[in-house]
Amino acid sequence: MSQHAIETPPAVTLPVSGTDAVFPVRRVYCIGRNYAAHAIEMGHDPDRDPPFFFQKNPDDLDPSGEFPYPDKSADVHHEIEMAVMLKSGGTNIPVERALEHVFGYALSLDMTRRDLQGEQKKLGRPWEIGKAFERSAPVGPIHPVDAVGHLDRGAVELEVNGEVRQEGDLDQMIWKVPEMIAYLSEYFALAAGDVILSGTPSGVGPVVRGDVMKVSVAGLGSMNVRVV
Ligand code: MN
């Protein structure tokens, strides 16, 4: 075994509900505009155009329950999303076999610097600065499929300081979980440790320091994330 030439970066792992085992993260894919009402609120046509994806970094996933408001931004939005964790992967996965690759599901947030994302959109530039920033994806414990089954319907809700801001249902996804996995696998080699954030329902909006976001998805319970 060869030695690393520099200090070894820490592995990114996430807690798994009901066990001491942790889930090692490889890549993070996020789908854009996957609920029609959210596509409309962002000024887009909700037709079933091919899906599009962007990525966050593995170490943007943060199970701490705190979200540090980033510098250089004055308009940071919450986007509640269900995260899908893969235990295996491959290329050109057929839709009807896609769910065999899912290890489990978790609550998550795709926190977004909407001001910076908007500037990049206008300039036709990539979104990383608005999406893939430090600790931009608060995430809850992973619930294995063995415990909760596959989730394709049920309420998705986000409250800020006790007030409901986002409300939807998993069955409103334009591209369902198996379709997302199949589509991604046509362009990327998916593998164990990959995470897919499955899009957000309508009602996205800004947070400020001190806010408490309560994230819930039917079947996954709820988690609180404090903006600090
Ligand atoms: Mn999103």
Side-chain angles (χ1 to χ4, degrees), residues 7-31:
E7 194 179 326
T8 310
V12 177
T13 60
L14 297 173
V16 177
S17 182
T19 168
D20 290 336
V22 292
F23 178 91
V25 180
R26 193 181 81 115
R27 296 180 183 168
V28 184
Y29 297 98
C30 309
I31 190 169

Side-chain angles (χ1 to χ4, degrees), residues 2-207:
S2 50
Q3 270 183 300
H4 291 179
I6 58 162
E7 194 179 326
T8 310
V12 177
T13 60
L14 297 173
V16 177
S17 182
T19 168
D20 290 336
V22 292
F23 178 91
V25 180
R26 193 181 81 115
R27 296 180 183 168
V28 184
Y29 297 98
C30 309
I31 190 169
R33 294 171 210 142
N34 201 28
Y35 288 73
H38 174 61
I40 293 166
E41 78 179 347
M42 298 304 290
H44 298 281
D45 200 314
D47 284 349
R48 206 167 187 264
D49 288 331
F52 71 93
F53 294 85
F54 56 92
Q55 283 175 270
K56 294 201 188 221
N57 301 298
D59 64 351
D60 296 337
L61 294 171
D62 180 2
S64 74
E66 288 194 340
F67 169 71
Y69 198 98
D71 291 339
K72 308 271 188 196
S73 229
D75 189 25
V76 177
H77 282 199
H78 53 75
E79 295 190 0
I80 180 176
E81 316 226 346
M82 181 177 75
V84 182
M85 279 69 180
L86 301 189
K87 63 181 177 187
S88 55
T91 54
N92 298 311
I93 297 168
V95 173
E96 57 277 11
R97 315 263 339 232
L99 288 180
E100 296 170 16
H101 299 282
V102 176
F103 170 73
Y105 299 92
L107 301 166
S108 67
L109 285 157
D110 166 18
M111 297 303 294
T112 302
R113 291 159 138 169
R114 195 72 72 201
D115 44 2
L116 301 189
Q117 184 201 25
E119 289 170 16
Q120 300 307 306
K121 276 185 186 174
K122 230 178 282 169
L123 295 166
R125 289 180 181 164
W127 291 2
E128 274 86 349
I129 202 166
K131 286 288 196 180
F133 58 96
E134 305 308 320
R135 299 172 69 178
S136 58
V139 61
I142 301 167
H143 298 270
V145 170
D146 292 348
V148 297
H150 289 290
L151 305 178
D152 59 4
R153 65 196 66 241
V156 177
E157 189 176 281
L158 179 136
E159 295 177 8
V160 177
N161 306 327
E163 188 182 305
V164 177
R165 296 277 183 86
Q166 290 190 260
E167 260 183 309
D169 193 292
L170 294 174
D171 69 7
Q172 296 165 346
M173 284 185 192
I174 297 170
W175 295 89
K176 310 300 183 192
V177 171
E179 293 172 323
M180 279 185 258
I181 292 169
Y183 187 91
L184 271 169
S185 78
E186 293 177 15
Y187 295 88
F188 300 95
L190 299 179
D194 288 351
V195 175
I196 303 169
L197 268 55
S198 57
T200 197
S202 61
V204 301
V207 292

